[in-house]
């Protein structure tokens, strides 16, 4: 067995354990008294393992890549939060002009997100190969799909009293 094959299997096992652990905690997190930040931390760890495996980052690449990716992720998350807030702000009491302005702000935020992706597309290529950048964007989508699939198929737990 080659070292690459061994590393892939090891990282796959780690990812599987993290995702299964996250799914189990998502089901009974309230009952166990787990905090939301703890579950999000575990999800983030699973995402790191998933991306590291799928992009085949070397140790040297990972040391340079993850601070850059975290910066990108934070900036993208901020844009997405602003966009979600704009969607929540639409009400039946708004005038057509207010609705139009809300849409224009949403379009501006979407353009900013596209510009951010283009900016980091270039930055990522300074620390990983073009092929790895492509694998990164695919891995992000695949990870999100996997989490959604697991949440959708998880049995619904009855609500428990708040602590």
């Amino acid at each position: 067995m080659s070292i690459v094959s061994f590393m892939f299997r090891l990282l796959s096992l780690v990812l599987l354990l993290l995702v299964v652990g996250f799914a189990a905690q998502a089901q009974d997190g309230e009952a166990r008294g787990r905090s939301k930040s703890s579950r999000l931390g575990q999800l983030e760890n699973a995402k790191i393992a998933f991306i590291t495996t799928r992009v085949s980052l070397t140790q040297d690449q990972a040391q340079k890549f993850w601070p850059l990716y975290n910066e990108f992720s934070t900036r993208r998350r901020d844009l997405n939060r602003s966009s979600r807030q704009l969607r929540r702000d639409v009400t039946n009491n708004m005038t057509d002009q207010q609705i139009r302005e809300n849409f224009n702000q949403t379009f501006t935020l979407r353009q900013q997100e596209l510009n951010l992706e283009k900016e980091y597309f270039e930055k990522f290529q300074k620390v990983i190969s073009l092929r790895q950048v492509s694998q990164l964007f695919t891995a992000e989508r695949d990870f999100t799909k996997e989490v959604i699939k697991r949440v959708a198929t998880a049995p619904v737990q009855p609500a428990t009293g708040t602590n």
Side-chain angles (χ1 to χ4, degrees), residues 21-36:
F22 171 74
Q25 282 195 353
Q27 292 175 10
D28 65 350
E30 286 287 328
R32 289 183 171 180
R34 300 280 186 206
S35 69
K36 181 178 180 180

Side-chain angles (χ1 to χ4, degrees), residues 14 44 71-72 77 118 138 147 149 157 159:
V14 168
E44 192 62 30
E71 179 184 298
F72 165 70
R77 188 178 312 116
K118 290 165 95 176
T138 301
V147 170
K149 183 174 92 176
Q157 298 292 316

Side-chain angles (χ1 to χ4, degrees), residues 112-125:
Q112 288 174 358
E113 184 174 2
L114 177 60
N115 293 343
L116 182 71
E117 287 184 13
K118 290 165 95 176
E119 173 187 344
Y120 278 85
F121 174 78
E122 296 300 327
K123 288 183 177 186
F124 290 145
Q125 289 180 72

Side-chain angles (χ1 to χ4, degrees), residues 119-135:
E119 173 187 344
Y120 278 85
F121 174 78
E122 296 300 327
K123 288 183 177 186
F124 290 145
Q125 289 180 72
K126 294 178 181 171
V127 296
I128 60 178
S129 72
L130 178 59
R131 184 170 309 280
Q132 287 174 305
V133 174
S134 175
Q135 291 168 339

Side-chain angles (χ1 to χ4, degrees), residues 13-159:
L13 177 62
V14 168
L15 172 65
L16 178 64
L17 292 173
L18 287 170
V19 171
V20 168
F22 171 74
Q25 282 195 353
Q27 292 175 10
D28 65 350
E30 286 287 328
R32 289 183 171 180
R34 300 280 186 206
S35 69
K36 181 178 180 180
S37 64
S38 173
R39 290 190 311 271
L40 289 176
Q42 287 184 329
L43 181 62
E44 192 62 30
N45 288 340
K47 184 177 182 181
I48 290 168
F50 188 86
I51 289 173
T52 299
T53 300
R54 293 286 295 273
V55 178
S56 302
L57 294 174
T58 66
Q59 186 175 3
D60 185 50
Q61 285 176 320
Q63 288 177 344
K64 295 173 185 170
F65 169 77
W66 285 111
L68 190 61
Y69 181 81
N70 292 336
E71 179 184 298
F72 165 70
S73 187
T74 298
R75 290 179 63 189
R76 184 172 54 181
R77 188 178 312 116
D78 291 344
L79 288 171
N80 287 331
R81 282 183 183 144
S82 297
S83 199
R84 279 193 307 275
Q85 185 60 46
L86 281 173
R87 285 191 300 270
R88 280 188 225 119
D89 288 347
V90 175
T91 66
N92 289 334
N93 298 331
M94 293 176 83
T95 66
D96 286 352
Q97 182 57 36
Q98 289 170 321
I99 293 171
R100 180 177 306 283
E101 180 57 32
N102 186 287
F103 270 100
N104 286 333
Q105 289 175 0
T106 299
F107 297 146
T108 298
L109 286 169
R110 287 171 54 190
Q111 184 63 53
Q112 288 174 358
E113 184 174 2
L114 177 60
N115 293 343
L116 182 71
E117 287 184 13
K118 290 165 95 176
E119 173 187 344
Y120 278 85
F121 174 78
E122 296 300 327
K123 288 183 177 186
F124 290 145
Q125 289 180 72
K126 294 178 181 171
V127 296
I128 60 178
S129 72
L130 178 59
R131 184 170 309 280
Q132 287 174 305
V133 174
S134 175
Q135 291 168 339
L136 165 66
F137 287 107
T138 301
E140 283 185 314
R141 282 190 305 274
D142 290 349
F143 182 80
T144 300
K145 286 178 188 176
E146 184 64 29
V147 170
I148 290 169
K149 183 174 92 176
R150 288 181 185 272
V151 169
T153 60
V156 176
Q157 298 292 316

